[in-house]
Amino acid sequence: LLTTHLTQGEARASLPSGTKVFGGTKWCVFRHISPTRAVVEEAIRERLLRMKGTTVDLLQVQKPFLA
């Protein structure tokens, strides 16, 4: 997804100022975590930097089965 985020960020940066862009992304969690507000907010901040955006409109959380 890193490449997708960077591509979305480049596309967003090339648009005229004020253009509305829907920012959707996926957060794949591959380790056991406690999904506190701070943990989720950090994941969102990380994606915002990559996407060069100010909001994430949709965050899909994918957590595969961890044995």
Side-chain angles (χ1 to χ4, degrees), residues 4-51:
T4 304
H5 290 155
L6 296 175
T7 302
Q8 182 178 7
E10 290 169 8
R12 183 187 300 253
S14 71
L15 296 172
S17 180
T19 302
K20 294 188 181 217
V21 176
F22 182 88
T25 185
K26 185 189 298 184
W27 178 27
C28 297
V29 180
F30 292 107
R31 61 192 186 338
H32 293 285
I33 64 164
S34 178
T36 64
R37 182 181 182 112
V39 169
V40 174
E41 287 177 345
E42 179 57 32
I44 292 170
R45 275 192 293 279
E46 188 178 294
R47 279 143 188 84
L48 287 173
L49 287 173
R50 293 180 190 163
M51 295 179 351

